[in-house]
Amino acid sequence: MKLVKKLTFALVATLAVSTLTACSLYTGIPGRDGKEKVEEVAHKKANELNIGVSISTTNNPYFVSMNNAIKSMAKEKNTKLTVSDAQNDSATQLNNVQNFISQNVDAILINPVDSDAIVPAIKAVNNAHIPVIAMDRGANGGTVLTTVASDNVAAGKMAAQAVEKLVGKNVKVLELSGTPGASATIDRGKGFNNEAKTLGLNILSSQSANFDRTTGLNTTQNMLQSHKDVQAIFAQNDEMALGSAKAVQASGQKIAIFGIDGESETHDAIKAGTMTATIAQQPAKIGEMALQATYDYYQGKKISSVINSPIYLVDKDNVDEHKW
């Protein structure tokens, strides 16, 4: 009888060890009571995962590059992937995320339209105990497994330094900011404006153009009416910068134009002399790093709360580098 009990105990112990080996612990998702809760997460291979991806807009080449990289990597790993386009609308993005929750996906990758408006979606994902990863833009609430992005404060700072380096000191600058409330808008503006103050750049005006090319063109045209003596324009993304370049060309003025992103059309514009420089990001790399973080999570690996993607200054001297 004692031998039977010993054998039974040994079997139970072996099963317990096996179960623990097959699971990892994740403490980043709060329980329904709002408190952080330790949960066991079964290890899964890449080809066993079903992942939802919410992109802010596929009208911007930057996010198309990110989206394509995620799709390509998922195909290579045989991961089931469902991608939704929020069309730059926060309400649409919330609905898309709720659909992913209903589908009981294993993880959700979110590129927020707005860092404040995305919070209810993040919290809904948290309550469903699904890991969520933010891409390119952060969330101002809820809990994410990690945020994969360029250091946007550093990008803004680098842009201000480029203005001084390539145009000169005490330069008069116009700024085109992005979508109000987006973390990229806030951080790039913070980095640029703080460094501009340190360097003595004179920011004549700052207006939102919503990260959009056409809006960038129209906003620049209006700003140039009030500021005839501007020497440089800093746009918080390349789409606005390219729109601004058209407005400057139409005005006949000679104004240096700086952007952030590094899309291929910007490289062509720098070569042609219609743009001066851009701070190149790596959107494809951001997408790949976000998906890899999901794979690592389901292998029980520790995930950093922030994963930074590299940035580079691109001007006429290195225009053929850092393309995406």
Short mmCIF file of all heavy atoms in Angstrom, two decimals, residues 217-268:
data_model
loop_
_atom_site.label_atom_id
_atom_site.label_comp_id
_atom_site.label_asym_id
_atom_site.label_seq_id
_atom_site.Cartn_x
_atom_site.Cartn_y
_atom_site.Cartn_z
N LEU A 217 0.64 70.48 -47.36
CA LEU A 217 0.75 71.46 -48.45
C LEU A 217 -0.09 72.70 -48.14
O LEU A 217 0.40 73.84 -48.22
CB LEU A 217 0.30 70.81 -49.76
CG LEU A 217 0.49 71.59 -51.07
CD1 LEU A 217 0.51 70.64 -52.25
CD2 LEU A 217 -0.62 72.63 -51.28
N ASN A 218 -1.36 72.48 -47.81
CA ASN A 218 -2.28 73.60 -47.56
C ASN A 218 -1.86 74.42 -46.34
O ASN A 218 -1.91 75.66 -46.36
CB ASN A 218 -3.70 73.09 -47.37
CG ASN A 218 -4.27 72.45 -48.63
OD1 ASN A 218 -3.87 72.80 -49.74
ND2 ASN A 218 -5.19 71.52 -48.46
N THR A 219 -1.44 73.74 -45.28
CA THR A 219 -1.03 74.44 -44.06
C THR A 219 0.23 75.27 -44.32
O THR A 219 0.34 76.41 -43.85
CB THR A 219 -0.77 73.43 -42.92
OG1 THR A 219 -1.95 72.66 -42.70
CG2 THR A 219 -0.38 74.15 -41.63
N THR A 220 1.17 74.71 -45.08
CA THR A 220 2.39 75.46 -45.40
C THR A 220 2.07 76.70 -46.23
O THR A 220 2.62 77.79 -45.98
CB THR A 220 3.38 74.57 -46.18
OG1 THR A 220 3.73 73.44 -45.37
CG2 THR A 220 4.65 75.34 -46.53
N GLN A 221 1.18 76.57 -47.21
CA GLN A 221 0.79 77.72 -48.02
C GLN A 221 0.25 78.84 -47.14
O GLN A 221 0.61 80.01 -47.32
CB GLN A 221 -0.26 77.31 -49.05
CG GLN A 221 0.28 76.49 -50.20
CD GLN A 221 -0.81 76.04 -51.16
OE1 GLN A 221 -1.96 75.85 -50.78
NE2 GLN A 221 -0.44 75.88 -52.44
N ASN A 222 -0.60 78.49 -46.18
CA ASN A 222 -1.17 79.50 -45.28
C ASN A 222 -0.11 80.12 -44.38
O ASN A 222 -0.11 81.35 -44.16
CB ASN A 222 -2.27 78.86 -44.41
CG ASN A 222 -3.48 78.44 -45.22
OD1 ASN A 222 -3.75 79.02 -46.28
ND2 ASN A 222 -4.21 77.46 -44.75
N MET A 223 0.81 79.29 -43.89
CA MET A 223 1.86 79.79 -42.99
C MET A 223 2.82 80.72 -43.72
O MET A 223 3.30 81.71 -43.16
CB MET A 223 2.61 78.62 -42.35
CG MET A 223 1.75 77.78 -41.42
SD MET A 223 2.60 76.28 -40.83
CE MET A 223 3.55 76.94 -39.45
N LEU A 224 3.10 80.42 -44.98
CA LEU A 224 4.03 81.25 -45.75
C LEU A 224 3.46 82.64 -46.03
O LEU A 224 4.23 83.60 -46.23
CB LEU A 224 4.39 80.56 -47.07
CG LEU A 224 5.26 79.32 -46.97
CD1 LEU A 224 5.48 78.70 -48.35
CD2 LEU A 224 6.61 79.64 -46.32
N GLN A 225 2.14 82.76 -46.02
CA GLN A 225 1.51 84.06 -46.22
C GLN A 225 1.85 85.01 -45.08
O GLN A 225 1.99 86.23 -45.27
CB GLN A 225 -0.02 83.91 -46.31
CG GLN A 225 -0.50 83.14 -47.52
CD GLN A 225 -0.16 83.82 -48.82
OE1 GLN A 225 -0.28 85.05 -48.96
NE2 GLN A 225 0.31 83.05 -49.80
N SER A 226 2.02 84.43 -43.87
CA SER A 226 2.28 85.26 -42.68
C SER A 226 3.76 85.36 -42.34
O SER A 226 4.15 86.21 -41.52
CB SER A 226 1.53 84.69 -41.48
OG SER A 226 0.15 84.58 -41.74
N HIS A 227 4.57 84.48 -42.93
CA HIS A 227 6.00 84.44 -42.56
C HIS A 227 6.85 84.39 -43.83
O HIS A 227 7.26 83.33 -44.29
CB HIS A 227 6.28 83.23 -41.67
CG HIS A 227 5.45 83.18 -40.43
ND1 HIS A 227 5.70 83.98 -39.32
CD2 HIS A 227 4.34 82.44 -40.12
CE1 HIS A 227 4.80 83.73 -38.38
NE2 HIS A 227 3.96 82.82 -38.85
N LYS A 228 7.13 85.55 -44.36
CA LYS A 228 7.87 85.66 -45.63
C LYS A 228 9.36 85.39 -45.45
O LYS A 228 10.05 85.06 -46.42
CB LYS A 228 7.67 87.06 -46.22
CG LYS A 228 6.21 87.44 -46.46
CD LYS A 228 5.61 86.66 -47.61
CE LYS A 228 4.21 87.18 -47.94
NZ LYS A 228 3.56 86.39 -49.02
N ASP A 229 9.86 85.55 -44.22
CA ASP A 229 11.30 85.46 -44.01
C ASP A 229 11.75 84.12 -43.44
O ASP A 229 12.86 83.98 -42.93
CB ASP A 229 11.76 86.58 -43.07
CG ASP A 229 11.02 86.58 -41.73
OD1 ASP A 229 9.99 85.86 -41.63
OD2 ASP A 229 11.46 87.27 -40.80
N VAL A 230 10.91 83.08 -43.53
CA VAL A 230 11.25 81.77 -42.99
C VAL A 230 12.42 81.16 -43.78
O VAL A 230 12.52 81.32 -44.99
CB VAL A 230 10.02 80.83 -43.02
CG1 VAL A 230 9.52 80.62 -44.44
CG2 VAL A 230 10.34 79.50 -42.38
N GLN A 231 13.32 80.47 -43.03
CA GLN A 231 14.49 79.86 -43.67
C GLN A 231 14.44 78.33 -43.69
O GLN A 231 15.13 77.69 -44.48
CB GLN A 231 15.76 80.31 -42.92
CG GLN A 231 16.02 81.80 -42.96
CD GLN A 231 17.03 82.22 -41.92
OE1 GLN A 231 16.70 82.44 -40.76
NE2 GLN A 231 18.29 82.31 -42.33
N ALA A 232 13.64 77.75 -42.78
CA ALA A 232 13.55 76.29 -42.71
C ALA A 232 12.17 75.87 -42.25
O ALA A 232 11.50 76.61 -41.52
CB ALA A 232 14.62 75.73 -41.77
N ILE A 233 11.76 74.69 -42.69
CA ILE A 233 10.49 74.10 -42.25
C ILE A 233 10.80 72.71 -41.69
O ILE A 233 11.46 71.90 -42.35
CB ILE A 233 9.48 74.00 -43.40
CG1 ILE A 233 9.08 75.39 -43.89
CG2 ILE A 233 8.24 73.20 -42.96
CD1 ILE A 233 8.20 75.39 -45.12
N PHE A 234 10.33 72.48 -40.49
CA PHE A 234 10.45 71.14 -39.90
C PHE A 234 9.05 70.51 -39.85
O PHE A 234 8.14 71.05 -39.24
CB PHE A 234 11.03 71.19 -38.50
CG PHE A 234 10.82 69.91 -37.71
CD1 PHE A 234 11.33 68.70 -38.18
CD2 PHE A 234 10.10 69.90 -36.53
CE1 PHE A 234 11.12 67.51 -37.48
CE2 PHE A 234 9.89 68.73 -35.81
CZ PHE A 234 10.40 67.54 -36.29
N ALA A 235 8.89 69.38 -40.53
CA ALA A 235 7.64 68.63 -40.50
C ALA A 235 7.86 67.36 -39.71
O ALA A 235 8.87 66.67 -39.89
CB ALA A 235 7.18 68.29 -41.92
N GLN A 236 6.93 67.03 -38.85
CA GLN A 236 7.11 65.88 -37.95
C GLN A 236 7.00 64.53 -38.64
O GLN A 236 7.23 63.50 -38.00
CB GLN A 236 6.13 65.97 -36.77
CG GLN A 236 6.47 67.07 -35.79
CD GLN A 236 5.55 67.08 -34.60
OE1 GLN A 236 4.62 66.28 -34.49
NE2 GLN A 236 5.77 68.01 -33.68
N ASN A 237 6.64 64.51 -39.91
CA ASN A 237 6.80 63.27 -40.70
C ASN A 237 7.06 63.64 -42.16
O ASN A 237 6.88 64.79 -42.58
CB ASN A 237 5.61 62.32 -40.54
CG ASN A 237 4.43 62.66 -41.41
OD1 ASN A 237 4.27 63.80 -41.85
ND2 ASN A 237 3.56 61.69 -41.65
N ASP A 238 7.48 62.67 -42.93
CA ASP A 238 7.85 62.93 -44.32
C ASP A 238 6.66 63.27 -45.21
O ASP A 238 6.79 64.01 -46.19
CB ASP A 238 8.58 61.71 -44.91
CG ASP A 238 10.03 61.64 -44.47
OD1 ASP A 238 10.51 62.60 -43.83
OD2 ASP A 238 10.69 60.62 -44.75
N GLU A 239 5.50 62.70 -44.91
CA GLU A 239 4.33 63.00 -45.73
C GLU A 239 4.02 64.50 -45.69
O GLU A 239 3.76 65.12 -46.72
CB GLU A 239 3.12 62.19 -45.24
CG GLU A 239 3.15 60.73 -45.67
CD GLU A 239 3.04 60.57 -47.18
OE1 GLU A 239 1.98 60.86 -47.72
OE2 GLU A 239 4.04 60.15 -47.80
N MET A 240 4.04 65.09 -44.50
CA MET A 240 3.82 66.53 -44.39
C MET A 240 4.96 67.31 -45.04
O MET A 240 4.73 68.34 -45.67
CB MET A 240 3.68 66.93 -42.91
CG MET A 240 2.45 66.39 -42.22
SD MET A 240 2.22 67.05 -40.55
CE MET A 240 3.67 66.41 -39.70
N ALA A 241 6.18 66.80 -44.88
CA ALA A 241 7.34 67.47 -45.47
C ALA A 241 7.25 67.50 -46.99
O ALA A 241 7.56 68.52 -47.63
CB ALA A 241 8.63 66.78 -45.02
N LEU A 242 6.81 66.40 -47.60
CA LEU A 242 6.67 66.33 -49.05
C LEU A 242 5.57 67.28 -49.54
O LEU A 242 5.70 67.91 -50.60
CB LEU A 242 6.39 64.89 -49.48
CG LEU A 242 7.59 63.94 -49.33
CD1 LEU A 242 7.12 62.48 -49.43
CD2 LEU A 242 8.65 64.23 -50.39
N GLY A 243 4.50 67.39 -48.77
CA GLY A 243 3.46 68.36 -49.10
C GLY A 243 3.97 69.78 -48.97
O GLY A 243 3.71 70.64 -49.82
N SER A 244 4.75 70.02 -47.92
CA SER A 244 5.34 71.33 -47.69
C SER A 244 6.29 71.71 -48.83
O SER A 244 6.34 72.87 -49.26
CB SER A 244 6.09 71.32 -46.35
OG SER A 244 6.59 72.60 -46.05
N ALA A 245 7.03 70.72 -49.33
CA ALA A 245 7.98 70.98 -50.42
C ALA A 245 7.25 71.50 -51.66
O ALA A 245 7.76 72.39 -52.36
CB ALA A 245 8.75 69.70 -50.74
N LYS A 246 6.07 70.95 -51.94
CA LYS A 246 5.29 71.41 -53.10
C LYS A 246 4.85 72.87 -52.91
O LYS A 246 4.86 73.66 -53.85
CB LYS A 246 4.08 70.50 -53.30
CG LYS A 246 4.41 69.14 -53.91
CD LYS A 246 3.15 68.38 -54.28
CE LYS A 246 3.48 67.08 -55.00
NZ LYS A 246 4.15 67.33 -56.31
N ALA A 247 4.45 73.19 -51.68
CA ALA A 247 4.03 74.57 -51.40
C ALA A 247 5.19 75.54 -51.55
O ALA A 247 5.03 76.64 -52.10
CB ALA A 247 3.46 74.65 -49.98
N VAL A 248 6.37 75.14 -51.10
CA VAL A 248 7.56 75.99 -51.21
C VAL A 248 7.95 76.17 -52.68
O VAL A 248 8.28 77.28 -53.12
CB VAL A 248 8.73 75.38 -50.40
CG1 VAL A 248 10.04 76.12 -50.72
CG2 VAL A 248 8.44 75.47 -48.90
N GLN A 249 7.90 75.07 -53.45
CA GLN A 249 8.21 75.16 -54.88
C GLN A 249 7.27 76.14 -55.59
O GLN A 249 7.70 76.94 -56.42
CB GLN A 249 8.11 73.79 -55.53
CG GLN A 249 9.28 72.86 -55.23
CD GLN A 249 9.09 71.49 -55.87
OE1 GLN A 249 8.39 70.64 -55.34
NE2 GLN A 249 9.71 71.30 -57.03
N ALA A 250 5.99 76.06 -55.24
CA ALA A 250 4.99 76.94 -55.86
C ALA A 250 5.22 78.40 -55.47
O ALA A 250 4.92 79.31 -56.27
CB ALA A 250 3.58 76.51 -55.44
N SER A 251 5.76 78.65 -54.30
CA SER A 251 5.99 80.02 -53.82
C SER A 251 7.24 80.64 -54.44
O SER A 251 7.40 81.87 -54.43
CB SER A 251 6.13 80.03 -52.30
OG SER A 251 7.39 79.50 -51.90
N GLY A 252 8.13 79.79 -54.96
CA GLY A 252 9.37 80.30 -55.54
C GLY A 252 10.43 80.65 -54.51
O GLY A 252 11.51 81.15 -54.85
N GLN A 253 10.15 80.38 -53.23
CA GLN A 253 11.11 80.69 -52.17
C GLN A 253 12.13 79.57 -52.02
O GLN A 253 11.89 78.43 -52.42
CB GLN A 253 10.37 80.90 -50.84
CG GLN A 253 9.47 82.12 -50.82
CD GLN A 253 8.65 82.20 -49.54
OE1 GLN A 253 7.49 81.80 -49.53
NE2 GLN A 253 9.25 82.72 -48.49
N LYS A 254 13.26 79.92 -51.43
CA LYS A 254 14.29 78.94 -51.15
C LYS A 254 14.27 78.65 -49.64
O LYS A 254 14.73 79.46 -48.84
CB LYS A 254 15.67 79.45 -51.58
CG LYS A 254 16.76 78.40 -51.45
CD LYS A 254 18.09 78.90 -52.00
CE LYS A 254 19.16 77.82 -51.87
NZ LYS A 254 20.48 78.29 -52.39
N ILE A 255 13.71 77.52 -49.27
CA ILE A 255 13.54 77.17 -47.86
C ILE A 255 13.99 75.73 -47.65
O ILE A 255 13.59 74.83 -48.40
CB ILE A 255 12.06 77.32 -47.43
CG1 ILE A 255 11.58 78.76 -47.64
CG2 ILE A 255 11.88 76.91 -45.97
CD1 ILE A 255 10.08 78.94 -47.44
N ALA A 256 14.80 75.49 -46.65
CA ALA A 256 15.25 74.14 -46.31
C ALA A 256 14.11 73.38 -45.63
O ALA A 256 13.41 73.94 -44.78
CB ALA A 256 16.46 74.20 -45.38
N ILE A 257 13.91 72.11 -46.02
CA ILE A 257 12.80 71.33 -45.48
C ILE A 257 13.32 70.04 -44.87
O ILE A 257 14.09 69.30 -45.48
CB ILE A 257 11.76 71.02 -46.59
CG1 ILE A 257 11.20 72.33 -47.15
CG2 ILE A 257 10.63 70.15 -46.03
CD1 ILE A 257 10.28 72.14 -48.32
N PHE A 258 12.86 69.78 -43.65
CA PHE A 258 13.29 68.62 -42.88
C PHE A 258 12.07 67.78 -42.47
O PHE A 258 11.03 68.34 -42.11
CB PHE A 258 14.03 69.06 -41.62
CG PHE A 258 15.28 69.84 -41.89
CD1 PHE A 258 15.21 71.19 -42.23
CD2 PHE A 258 16.52 69.24 -41.83
CE1 PHE A 258 16.36 71.93 -42.51
CE2 PHE A 258 17.68 69.96 -42.09
CZ PHE A 258 17.60 71.30 -42.44
N GLY A 259 12.21 66.46 -42.51
CA GLY A 259 11.13 65.57 -42.10
C GLY A 259 11.63 64.50 -41.17
O GLY A 259 12.79 64.49 -40.75
N ILE A 260 10.73 63.59 -40.84
CA ILE A 260 11.07 62.40 -40.07
C ILE A 260 10.34 61.21 -40.69
O ILE A 260 9.14 61.31 -40.94
CB ILE A 260 10.65 62.52 -38.57
CG1 ILE A 260 11.46 63.61 -37.86
CG2 ILE A 260 10.83 61.19 -37.84
CD1 ILE A 260 11.08 63.80 -36.40
N ASP A 261 11.03 60.14 -40.94
CA ASP A 261 10.52 58.83 -41.38
C ASP A 261 11.53 58.13 -42.27
O ASP A 261 11.90 57.00 -42.02
CB ASP A 261 9.17 58.89 -42.11
CG ASP A 261 7.99 58.97 -41.15
OD1 ASP A 261 8.20 58.73 -39.93
OD2 ASP A 261 6.87 59.27 -41.61
N GLY A 262 11.92 58.81 -43.36
CA GLY A 262 12.88 58.21 -44.27
C GLY A 262 12.29 57.38 -45.38
O GLY A 262 12.93 56.45 -45.88
N GLU A 263 11.06 57.71 -45.83
CA GLU A 263 10.45 56.94 -46.91
C GLU A 263 11.19 57.17 -48.23
O GLU A 263 11.90 58.17 -48.40
CB GLU A 263 8.96 57.25 -47.03
CG GLU A 263 8.62 58.68 -47.33
CD GLU A 263 7.11 58.91 -47.38
OE1 GLU A 263 6.47 58.96 -46.31
OE2 GLU A 263 6.59 59.02 -48.50
N SER A 264 11.06 56.26 -49.15
CA SER A 264 11.85 56.28 -50.38
C SER A 264 11.64 57.55 -51.20
O SER A 264 12.58 58.08 -51.80
CB SER A 264 11.53 55.05 -51.24
OG SER A 264 10.15 55.02 -51.57
N GLU A 265 10.42 58.07 -51.22
CA GLU A 265 10.14 59.29 -51.98
C GLU A 265 10.90 60.48 -51.39
O GLU A 265 11.28 61.40 -52.12
CB GLU A 265 8.64 59.57 -51.99
CG GLU A 265 8.24 60.63 -53.00
CD GLU A 265 6.73 60.78 -53.12
OE1 GLU A 265 6.00 59.87 -52.70
OE2 GLU A 265 6.30 61.83 -53.65
N THR A 266 11.12 60.45 -50.09
CA THR A 266 11.89 61.52 -49.45
C THR A 266 13.34 61.47 -49.89
O THR A 266 13.98 62.50 -50.13
CB THR A 266 11.82 61.39 -47.91
OG1 THR A 266 10.45 61.41 -47.52
CG2 THR A 266 12.54 62.54 -47.24
N HIS A 267 13.89 60.27 -50.01
CA HIS A 267 15.27 60.12 -50.50
C HIS A 267 15.38 60.73 -51.91
O HIS A 267 16.37 61.41 -52.21
CB HIS A 267 15.66 58.64 -50.52
CG HIS A 267 15.91 58.06 -49.17
ND1 HIS A 267 17.18 57.73 -48.73
CD2 HIS A 267 15.09 57.75 -48.15
CE1 HIS A 267 17.12 57.25 -47.50
NE2 HIS A 267 15.85 57.25 -47.13
N ASP A 268 14.38 60.47 -52.73
CA ASP A 268 14.38 61.04 -54.09
C ASP A 268 14.32 62.57 -54.03
O ASP A 268 14.99 63.26 -54.82
CB ASP A 268 13.19 60.51 -54.89
CG ASP A 268 13.27 59.01 -55.15
OD1 ASP A 268 14.40 58.47 -55.09
OD2 ASP A 268 12.22 58.40 -55.39
#
